Amino acid sequence: GHRGKDNAGAAMCAYAELERFDVLKIQSIDTVSQSFHARCFVQLRLRGAKDRREAFVTFGNGATKSVEWFAGRIEVLNSFKHDSCKLIDEKPTVRDDGEDLLIQLRFEGDFYQHMRLHAFPFDSQELNMDFIILCRVDGPVPTEVKVSPRVSCRLVDSGFAPGFQWRPKGEVRCHAGTHEANERTFPKFGASVRVARESRFYVTNVALPTAVFSGLAFTLFAAQPSEPMERLSVAFTLLLTMAAYKITVTDMIPQVSYETLLDQFLLCNFFLLVAMAVVSAVLPQAGQDAEDLADRVCLALLGAIWCLIQAWFVAKAWSRERSERLGRGGLVI
């Protein structure tokens, strides 16, 4: 009786298993536009559907549709723009495999991905390629998708183009579920790849020069505190140098409305220079007797703050790298 009930339900409902997901290519990752360009291969298995190829789904009025019609209802869910992700082949491929049918699709285009850049340049991003089947879960053609226990997911190594700026972390992970839209529920499936940014370029070309500029500011203490103009000359020169350098490297830094880790580091070093300029202007007002002592205290205090800023940045970088090594990896279904 139970088997008969399953067979009867199969005539009305569409069940699919995500059996294979190959990420054939990741061409680029753009944190400014929050998108990435990729190509993927998807294979869905329809169990026991060979004899129902021409009448795979049945509507309440008795009308039927083929597997080809069902395959044509699969679309990219997180397309960056309308039609920015397209089917590479003219139409989905449907072929026999024993008593089952296999739906094979190849998509390429720009996928939208919300990226959090608070930890930049030590950030990692989850790149999702999500697909939706435009047949409601509770509609005329109830549809369900699940991940096969024997699913095969992989990223083709030769297809990862932005290796100079990013590196893959862990394995491709497949998922399936539902998507809510306008109080309607549709089945969805897809895969995700985690990538980590190669931070050395930003450390070498942005963070390190900034630390050197702020460190050079301590040379102003070589001048006597009773000669504030010499100290201020050094401080303002370094402030202008740092500001000009910040403008130069603006194109290297993501334009976001919040401060990234690198932004915070740059601001801390900048305001340390401002503090040195203020100290240089104020010290002569302390009087000759207290001037030397105040100068030594300010040097020690500002030196400690400079060391703390650099240590904080290094610690953040180390903890981020360590969490990435320990926290990610393996196949999640």
Side-chain angles (χ1 to χ4, degrees):
H2 180 71
R3 183 181 296 274
K5 182 179 179 180
D6 287 346
N7 291 337
M12 295 294 295
C13 303
Y15 296 95
E17 286 187 6
L18 178 58
E19 189 174 72
R20 181 178 171 187
F21 200 113
D22 294 344
V23 182
L24 303 175
K25 179 176 70 173
I26 295 180
Q27 185 64 36
S28 60
I29 302 171
D30 190 344
T31 55
V32 176
S33 64
Q34 304 274 286
S35 66
F36 64 97
H37 187 95
R39 177 190 295 174
C40 60
F41 172 84
V42 178
Q43 180 171 291
L44 296 173
R45 178 176 292 273
L46 309 176
R47 294 197 176 277
K50 181 179 180 180
D51 295 336
R52 297 185 292 118
R53 181 165 184 160
E54 300 302 322
F56 178 65
V57 294
T58 305
F59 293 93
N61 60 5
T64 61
K65 293 291 185 179
S66 66
V67 170
E68 284 76 6
W69 174 89
F70 178 79
R73 307 291 291 174
I74 301 173
E75 294 184 0
V76 177
L77 179 59
N78 61 326
S79 178
F80 180 62
K81 295 180 180 179
H82 180 65
D83 288 338
S84 65
C85 292
K86 295 183 178 180
L87 194 65
I88 297 176
D89 306 308
E90 183 178 348
K91 60 181 181 180
T93 301
V94 179
R95 65 183 184 85
D96 300 343
D97 185 31
E99 296 299 317
D100 305 335
L101 290 178
L102 300 178
I103 298 177
Q104 297 175 334
L105 311 100
R106 292 192 302 162
F107 282 92
E108 180 172 4
D110 296 321
F111 294 81
Y112 169 76
Q113 180 62 55
H114 177 65
M115 302 182 190
R116 297 177 60 86
L117 301 172
H118 294 82
F120 175 85
F122 308 107
D123 58 311
S124 62
Q125 305 295 337
E126 196 84 23
L127 305 181
N128 290 286
M129 288 151 279
D130 294 327
F131 297 84
I132 187 172
I133 302 177
L134 298 177
C135 296
R136 298 203 316 269
V137 171
D138 55 350
V141 186
T143 304
E144 181 183 348
V145 181
K146 64 180 181 179
V147 179
S148 171
R150 296 181 296 277
V151 64
S152 171
C153 305
R154 68 188 182 104
L155 169 63
V156 178
D157 293 338
S158 59
F160 191 78
F164 63 96
Q165 197 172 14
W166 300 87
R167 64 182 183 276
K169 301 286 290 185
E171 303 290 336
V172 178
R173 297 182 297 278
C174 293
H175 54 264
T178 57
H179 174 70
E180 302 286 338
N182 299 324
E183 299 182 353
R184 296 183 295 176
T185 305
F186 299 91
K188 73 171 184 177
F189 64 91
S192 62
V193 182
R194 177 162 285 272
V195 294
R197 191 188 301 271
E198 295 287 1
S199 60
R200 179 173 297 180
F201 173 83
Y202 300 96
V203 171
T204 304
N205 293 281
V206 181
L208 183 59
T210 300
V212 170
F213 291 147
S214 61
L216 284 174
F218 286 96
T219 59
L220 63 83
F221 285 96
Q224 293 299 318
S226 58
E227 301 174 350
M229 296 309 297
E230 291 188 18
R231 290 191 171 193
L232 288 172
S233 176
V234 174
F236 284 127
T237 299
L238 288 170
L239 276 172
L240 291 173
T241 302
M242 186 178 290
Y245 190 75
K246 177 70 164 61
I247 295 172
T248 303
V249 301
T250 297
D251 292 338
M252 304 179 189
I253 301 173
Q255 311 299 307
V256 292
S257 59
Y258 50 85
E259 285 78 30
T260 65
L261 179 63
L262 186 59
D263 289 330
Q264 295 172 12
F265 178 73
L266 297 179
L267 286 173
C268 286
N269 282 280
F270 180 82
F271 284 118
L272 181 63
L273 273 175
V274 172
M276 290 186 185
V278 172
V279 166
S280 298
V282 171
L283 270 181
Q285 310 302 321
Q288 189 170 4
D289 294 337
E291 196 174 74
D292 291 339
L293 177 60
D295 190 48
R296 295 192 196 97
V297 171
C298 288
L299 174 60
L301 181 61
L302 292 172
I305 293 174
W306 184 87
C307 292
L308 285 174
I309 293 172
Q310 317 313 315
W312 166 78
F313 187 71
V314 172
K316 283 283 189 179
W318 180 81
S319 64
R320 188 73 185 182
E321 291 291 331
R322 185 172 182 271
S323 66
E324 284 296 329
R325 287 197 301 269
L326 299 179
R328 300 288 175 180
L331 178 64
V332 178
I333 299 175

